[in-house]
Amino acid sequence: MPTELFTARPSLVSVAVDAPFAGLLDYDKGELSLTNGQWVEVPLGRRQVLGLVIAPDRLEGLVDGAEPVREVAADRIRQVTRPLTLLPVADPKWLDLMAFAARYYRRPFGTIAVGLMPKWLRDLKNYAEKTAGKKTNFDRLMEALGNRTDRDGFETGQAADQASAGEQGEPYGRSEPPLNSDQSAALDAIRAPGVYVLHGVTGSGKTRIYTEAARRCIASKPQDQVLVMVPEIGLTPQLVARFAAALPGVEIAVLHSEVSERERARLWLSAATGLARLVIGTRLSVMTPMPHLALIIVDEEHDHSYKQQEGMRYSARDLAVWRTQNVGATLVLGSATPSMETWAQIRRKKYQVLSLSKRATGEPPAPIQLIDTLKDPAKEGLCTQSRQAIARVLADDGQVLVFLNRRGYAPVLSCSSCGWSSRCLECGVATVLHRQGPATSTPTDAGHTPNRSINKWRLQCHHCGLESTVPRSCPDCGDADLSPIGRGVQRLEDTLAAEFPGARILRIDRDTVRQGKALAAEIEKIQRHEVDIVVGTQMLAKGHDFARMRLVVVADADTQLINPDFRAPERLFSTLIQVAGRAGRHEQSGAAARVLVQTRYPQHQLYRYLLAQDVSGFAEAELADRQTAGLPPFSHMAAIRAAYRDEAKTRHLLRLLRDHLQQFAAQNSWPVSAYGPVARYPEMQAGKWRGQIILESDSRPALHQLLATAEVWMAEHRELDCHIDVDPVEV
Ligand code: ADP
Ligand code: ZN
Ligand code: ZN
């Protein structure tokens, strides 16, 4: 037992390290006096590593059933090398968050608390003197932190904006119009600690509420810190500029995937020491230590990119809720289409909903119309009505957005003689035909026989990324007549170029834009009206403000409509509402703005709510369906996934696991059901068959207890390469 050992060996101390076992390690601290949350250097195997000291009274509940690993014989216990006193002692509330995340998402505590530290801070070389008495890299970093010039990851309001007001007492920035009554009411309501859902149609002025709430928070207490989370890096430049304008002189740390490792370390330290009052970042930023955290804002809270899909499969939104409650802070969840999880909490009166039902610019929402493709068939991807509408807007000097959520040229390449189609050798799914480089000036030439200019074409697997060349002829029958089937954005771009030769067309997707900065540059082109038609994927749907966008055409949403994933309707509805929100945001485009959706299923229930732009009506209907089916948010789910080369064996073992778990649950009267095994999509990846079983329960504690049992089994079947996903978003 821990206590005995501690009395027996008072110099023992428990240390978390980034290693794949659940417990902590014991070290001898010798004469050192170490406190809970202190960072240390310790030996591990033949290396020296970063460690985090955990006091004995804080051990309980750190990880389910995890006691320090004590197999080491007492005489082999090693010494703590040295304390790293320059690193700020970890805040107890932050340690709580790390412990909760580890327990809830079933990961070793050390891999979260230590393993998610910026890499630069985990690298002990940075704390070492190269020559005696000389400055370490860490010293230099601290100097940079104290020095207010030359910091690319920091924004200070002053630099970013002169126009806005910052003086105390001024209710809003001078450059911004006054808050409208809905905005003032919402801002006023966000007073007491708690969770608030800011449900506002696109363009209703949610961002203004965020900046004002942050300003009020930072102005009211000298130390209070604010965390702002955004789903994608592409959104940050615009957003950062707006916060900087609203908060002149305030230290803002922008954490995203494109900052250098050293910079990340510096920003982390600035947040951990309280210097940065505002942190803006993507999902990982929820883990940032912020000792004076008082307000969290999660923009587009429904967005699936808040869920990490590998390693610790956490939901940053859910952790933000937990963290808020643990520190007694305020959380604002903003969205035009809140998630079903959030609606359910609103119904249970756990969250308070604040609505912004009108656009802040006063423009009415652009009406949405369906085009029945049975009556007006899409030729080359576009219906006649869409072509005519595009032509009219272009003639009028307006901009058009054509949305198709499918990358590449065509989803599959097929042989018209024998029916062969291109497939990934690893995954077995269809490979997507991609054109390399820019579109040709004569799209018809490029369009139909890709093998005419083979070098420019590639087949790409969208699951594993594997690329291959396009065969000159059918590998099965030798016929040279291979044709692309279906349509991706590249092909649609060709159609548009052929149909509207005078128009300036810009395509935006993961192939043209790989970095946030690049996206920001493309967005600016649209805003400067250097582009007439924008054609693109999901990337375009979010957050951007285009003044002249008068028409949005949704080219094809039908594949998503028939997707069997229970979350597919929710996702599609939210995407369509977002895309529709790009039209007619300002007076230049407002009056005539329209949204056209081409579909074969105009009778579908989802479209009824879409046409009425009835977000809460859709949510009610969707929640009713979920409740009837016993699906989340009315039950809790976890997936246990395996990947192994032999399908039959994997299925067999997963079946045994399912039965074992079912029996165990029944014996203990835990209300958990186990289903499966079912194949995942795609079934094969890197030569392994992928399957899962699903656990479902009304009781989270019961579900987690059963997961602990599953982990024992998983440890005995390491060859299956299993992992657990708690609250999976794709089933
Ligand atoms: P959202 O974040 O809800 O999409 P934004 O905060 O980006 O909305 O606001 C949409 C547009 O309305 C922006 O151009 C913004 O400048 C403008 N806006 C915001 N608040 C007001 C207001 N109170 N009066 C006039 N225009 C406003
Ligand atoms: Zn063939
Ligand atoms: Zn593949």
Side-chain angles (χ1 to χ4, degrees):
M1 290 311 290
T3 32
E4 265 166 50
L5 260 155
F6 273 100
T7 31
R9 291 287 299 267
S11 70
L12 279 188
V13 62
S14 299
V15 176
V17 294
D18 178 18
F21 46 76
L24 309 194
L25 290 173
D26 277 345
Y27 286 92
D28 188 341
K29 67 183 162 78
E31 297 304 304
L32 295 171
S33 96
L34 296 173
T35 54
N36 184 49
Q38 186 152 4
W39 299 94
V40 290
E41 179 176 337
V42 290
L44 181 70
R46 269 185 250 148
R47 293 177 305 145
Q48 291 289 317
V49 297
L50 182 67
L52 179 61
V53 174
I54 302 294
D57 62 331
R58 311 284 307 199
L59 280 176
E60 206 185 325
L62 213 54
V63 186
D64 280 351
E67 280 176 27
V69 175
R70 288 168 195 282
E71 291 94 71
V72 226
D75 59 340
R76 289 197 42 225
I77 285 185
R78 301 168 79 181
Q79 290 254 336
V80 171
T81 313
R82 60 175 178 141
L84 296 169
T85 46
L86 291 174
L87 277 177
V89 172
D91 168 51
K93 294 286 185 189
W94 179 79
L95 288 174
D96 288 347
L97 176 71
M98 297 300 109
F100 171 76
R103 264 195 329 265
Y104 189 82
Y105 294 107
R106 321 299 306 175
R107 303 286 290 181
F109 173 76
T111 63
I112 310 304
V114 184
L116 292 182
M117 280 272 267
K119 207 156 101 206
W120 196 94
L121 292 173
R122 277 183 283 135
D123 185 350
L124 295 175
K125 279 201 303 293
N126 291 320
Y127 303 88
E129 290 174 9
K130 286 188 196 98
T131 25
K134 280 273 155 58
K135 281 183 188 149
T136 65
N137 288 342
F138 191 85
D139 293 333
R140 272 191 260 270
L141 188 74
M142 289 306 274
E143 276 171 19
L145 201 64
N147 172 7
R148 294 192 159 236
T149 59
D150 178 36
R151 33 174 98 176
D152 37 302
F154 282 125
E155 309 275 337
T156 59
Q158 272 137 350
D161 175 80
Q162 278 89 25
S164 118
E167 294 96 82
Q168 290 277 314
E170 178 109 43
Y172 45 82
R174 248 178 252 132
S175 62
E176 298 259 18
L179 296 179
N180 61 37
S181 56
D182 283 358
Q183 285 172 320
S184 307
L187 190 63
D188 280 347
I190 306 170
R191 289 268 172 209
V195 183
Y196 300 87
V197 180
L198 187 59
H199 175 210
V201 300
T202 31
S204 57
K206 293 186 291 296
T207 312
R208 270 298 290 292
I209 311 268
Y210 303 155
T211 56
E212 288 303 312
R215 221 165 70 86
R216 201 178 59 190
C217 176
I218 286 171
S220 66
K221 295 237 186 73
Q223 290 188 309
D224 277 5
Q225 290 177 295
V226 180
L227 171 63
V228 178
M229 286 161 53
V230 291
E232 273 196 74
I233 189 56
L235 292 179
T236 41
Q238 275 189 339
L239 198 74
V240 170
R242 289 179 70 176
F243 274 100
L247 297 162
V250 170
E251 213 62 86
I252 305 178
V254 186
L255 290 167
H256 56 75
S257 55
E258 288 162 32
V259 299
S260 70
E261 288 300 336
R262 184 176 183 275
E263 191 53 24
R264 185 178 299 283
R266 193 166 62 145
L267 296 174
W268 190 95
L269 282 168
S270 80
T273 52
L275 181 65
R277 305 286 303 282
L278 183 76
V279 173
I280 301 183
T282 45
R283 65 176 171 251
L284 184 60
S285 66
V286 75
M287 305 289 181
T288 313
M290 295 174 73
H292 306 291
L293 183 62
L295 172 66
I296 308 183
I297 292 163
V298 181
D299 190 23
E300 312 283 3
E301 66 86 20
H302 64 279
D303 199 291
H304 278 198
S305 66
Y306 284 121
K307 179 82 160 95
Q308 164 89 8
Q309 299 288 6
E310 55 195 45
M312 177 169 75
R313 291 166 167 79
Y314 65 96
S315 155
R317 179 205 51 216
D318 294 351
L319 286 179
V321 173
W322 193 90
R323 190 173 186 183
T324 298
Q325 286 164 346
N326 190 46
V327 300
T330 299
L331 173 64
V332 178
L333 299 173
S335 176
T337 52
S339 63
M340 291 304 136
E341 282 72 15
T342 295
W343 280 114
Q345 297 293 57
I346 293 170
R347 269 195 183 176
R348 294 179 194 126
K349 306 241 184 304
K350 297 259 173 69
Y351 301 171
Q352 188 183 334
V353 66
L354 310 167
S355 297
L356 302 178
S357 51
K358 296 185 291 292
R359 291 187 181 193
T361 51
E363 294 305 314
I368 304 178
Q369 266 170 265
L370 301 180
I371 303 177
D372 184 342
T373 55
L374 282 180
K375 294 184 187 139
D376 179 358
K379 289 187 215 77
E380 292 296 312
L382 289 175
C383 301
T384 307
Q385 284 181 70
S386 308
R387 287 168 201 258
Q388 289 168 348
I390 296 173
R392 274 197 302 274
V393 170
L394 293 179
D396 218 19
D397 215 19
Q399 286 174 309
V400 177
L401 170 64
V402 183
F403 175 79
L404 178 62
N405 209 7
R406 203 179 295 135
R407 283 197 302 128
Y409 185 84
V412 65
L413 181 70
S414 170
C415 167
S416 35
S417 309
C418 75
W420 169 88
S421 63
S422 59
R423 309 220 149 250
C424 175
L425 294 177
E426 294 284 354
C427 315
V429 298
T431 46
V432 178
L433 186 66
H434 277 253
R435 179 175 44 216
Q436 316 264 291
T440 48
S441 49
T442 51
T444 38
D445 178 44
H448 305 288
T449 43
N451 39 352
R452 222 182 279 168
S453 49
I454 274 166
N455 291 335
K456 294 198 355 236
W457 300 88
R458 285 278 183 287
L459 288 166
Q460 195 192 86
C461 172
H462 282 191
H463 288 283
C464 69
L466 202 72
E467 280 198 15
S468 52
T469 53
V470 174
R472 281 173 191 278
S473 56
C474 173
D476 281 3
C477 74
D479 196 313
D481 193 15
L482 299 180
S483 34
I485 307 292
R487 188 171 314 279
V489 275
Q490 291 184 333
R491 194 170 189 178
L492 196 56
E493 182 187 10
D494 287 358
T495 306
L496 290 162
E499 183 88 2
F500 307 102
R504 297 162 299 174
I505 301 178
L506 176 68
R507 175 163 63 85
I508 296 189
D509 57 33
R510 287 261 169 262
D511 300 312
T512 61
V513 174
R514 288 179 198 277
Q515 291 196 320
K517 273 191 204 122
L519 179 59
E522 301 293 65
I523 299 287
E524 272 170 34
K525 275 190 212 158
I526 305 172
Q527 282 162 340
R528 287 197 304 265
H529 200 192
E530 292 166 18
V531 175
D532 302 306
I533 303 177
V534 188
V535 50
T537 58
Q538 183 85 21
M539 246 187 165
L540 272 179
K542 297 170 192 170
H544 310 294
D545 202 358
F546 306 124
R548 308 180 81 91
M549 202 58 81
R550 221 163 286 170
L551 174 67
V552 170
V553 177
V554 176
D556 179 10
D558 289 348
T559 18
Q560 279 312 306
L561 214 52
I562 53 180
N563 180 334
D565 188 331
F566 77 87
R567 281 199 174 85
E570 174 183 1
R571 213 158 24 205
L572 176 62
F573 186 78
S574 132
T575 304
L576 292 178
I577 287 281
Q578 300 258 350
V579 183
R582 298 307 116 210
R585 307 232 312 173
H586 293 267
E587 58 274 47
Q588 286 124 297
S589 55
R594 274 208 296 168
V595 180
L596 300 175
V597 181
Q598 309 183 151
T599 179
R600 266 187 60 195
Y601 310 101
Q603 307 304 331
H604 200 287
Q605 149 167 310
L606 184 144
Y607 287 132
R608 275 220 316 275
Y609 294 107
L610 184 74
L611 294 187
Q613 313 206 21
D614 181 2
V615 174
S616 47
F618 173 80
E620 284 301 319
E622 184 64 20
L623 283 175
D625 286 354
R626 300 267 188 99
Q627 190 155 23
T628 312
L631 288 167
F634 298 96
S635 66
H636 309 297
M637 254 187 200
I640 301 172
R641 306 202 177 116
Y644 185 65
R645 57 190 150 72
D646 181 343
E647 172 179 348
K649 185 176 169 196
T650 316
R651 279 188 184 276
H652 172 70
L653 287 172
L654 284 179
R655 226 172 276 129
L656 292 182
L657 172 62
R658 178 202 62 199
D659 293 343
H660 169 61
L661 293 177
Q662 236 153 17
Q663 274 166 17
F664 202 76
Q667 278 163 18
N668 290 284
S669 314
W670 293 337
V672 186
S673 323
Y675 305 99
V678 289
R680 297 181 62 203
Y681 182 80
E683 279 189 39
M684 295 297 291
Q685 199 159 62
K688 289 177 170 180
W689 184 82
R690 308 183 332 141
Q692 62 185 353
I693 62 172
I694 304 284
L695 304 183
E696 207 177 77
S697 178
D698 293 341
S699 153
R700 275 204 190 284
L703 183 66
H704 271 75
Q705 273 168 316
L706 202 57
L707 287 176
T709 311
E711 277 158 359
V712 176
W713 186 93
M714 282 161 57
E716 291 159 3
H717 295 82
R718 290 201 190 280
E719 73 280 9
L720 290 186
D721 199 7
C722 288
H723 71 256
I724 289 175
D725 189 344
V726 179
D727 305 330
V729 289
E730 264 154 62
V731 190

